[in-house]
Amino acid sequence: MSDILTKNAGYAERLTSLLGLAHEPVAVRLVREGEAYPEGPAVPGSQLSHCQAVFRARGGECLNVPFEMSNCHIGAAVLGMTETPAKAASGEFHAGIGIHDSVEAAKRMMDERAIVPYKTVGEAVCPLGRAGFVPDVVIIADLVERVYWVVAMMTAEGGGRATFSTAPFQCACEDVTAVPMATGAPNISLGCFGCRKRTDMAAGEMACGIPYGLIPGYVARLERYAGGPLAKASRG
């Protein structure tokens, strides 16, 4: 077992145990131009979106997804793989779904997106415990009470209040992948229209994305919480 796989397996076990997660933490690595895909993950047999890949990975699948296998170019665009489709960029596509009152409102949502600031050609998406690569982000999609502890860890050292960026669309691709990569900070999402339509995300679940570089410190802090705040707040 490689050193990075051993580390990731340890992080996954501790996160799952300490937080009582019902689902696997997910490792996401965007593959840059000229970079090889990680060895091991399989290319899916049919096209899928980033959100579908993430939710399949939390169920145990390990996937290499080249851009050519993506069926959601809106999500792929914020991940640096392609240009945003014209109807999405204009607001026309999302306004047609009926959530926004106008094309202009939907366009403002699109204009204010976080976009990965370099060219990518695909992604590797695996359960963290099976990831033999260095992820960009670790995604946890689980019950609200479990995701809550990310806020505690964000504010433990410096205090203050945590703020998050989200919208009715693009939870998995933007909120919990592109935003943490762009800001270097965790981001929490309530889910989105697409996730709730195309994946098994449950009504009582939300998602967060944590830059991988923060994971060792967060696991260490959760270990310190185990006999204190985590135990006191546990509902069994």
Side-chain angles (χ1 to χ4, degrees):
M1 184 180 289
S2 70
D3 289 346
I4 187 61
L5 180 56
T6 300
K7 285 183 180 179
N8 287 342
Y11 295 151
E13 188 281 326
R14 297 315 292 148
L15 287 170
T16 301
S17 175
L18 290 163
L19 292 174
L21 299 178
H23 306 285
E24 298 248 21
V26 175
V28 176
R29 170 78 185 185
L30 298 186
V31 179
R32 284 70 163 167
E33 278 190 311
E35 184 177 75
Y37 285 85
E39 294 183 7
V43 175
S46 59
Q47 289 189 316
L48 73 170
S49 63
H50 174 72
C51 61
Q52 288 171 327
V54 167
F55 280 83
R56 282 171 59 168
R58 80 167 186 169
E61 292 189 57
C62 202
L63 302 166
N64 278 333
V65 188
F67 167 64
E68 293 76 17
M69 294 303 296
S70 171
N71 64 11
C72 178
H73 286 194
I74 299 172
V78 302
L79 300 178
M81 300 179 196
T82 189
E83 296 296 320
T84 303
K87 284 190 174 181
S90 71
E92 180 182 352
F93 173 80
H94 289 96
I97 294 173
I99 288 178
H100 292 89
D101 287 348
S102 65
V103 170
E104 292 75 19
K107 182 179 185 302
R108 182 180 176 191
M109 175 189 70
M110 296 300 288
D111 288 344
E112 295 182 3
R113 290 174 301 161
I115 297 176
V116 171
Y118 44 78
K119 176 66 176 171
T120 65
V121 296
E123 59 182 332
V125 186
C126 292
L128 178 61
R130 291 179 56 199
F133 55 86
V134 176
D136 291 305
V137 296
V138 172
I139 295 173
I140 294 172
D142 216 298
L143 294 177
V144 175
E145 187 167 327
R146 293 155 187 169
V147 176
Y148 153 79
W149 289 99
V150 175
V151 179
M153 290 183 286
M154 288 177 69
T155 57
E157 184 175 356
R161 301 183 63 81
T163 58
F164 307 107
S165 174
T166 191
F169 298 93
Q170 299 195 263
C171 159
C173 54
E174 183 182 4
D175 291 359
V176 299
T177 303
V179 172
M181 290 181 66
T183 64
N187 195 48
I188 287 178
S189 176
L190 300 176
C192 72
F193 181 86
C195 278
R196 299 195 179 281
K197 180 180 179 183
R198 306 181 76 176
T199 77
D200 63 354
M201 188 176 203
E205 292 181 334
M206 64 193 306
C208 67
I210 304 167
Y212 180 69
L214 298 178
I215 291 296
Y218 276 19
V219 169
R221 190 173 295 280
L222 285 172
E223 296 278 10
R224 296 197 296 273
Y225 285 173
L230 272 169
K232 292 175 182 176
S234 175
R235 298 171 190 260

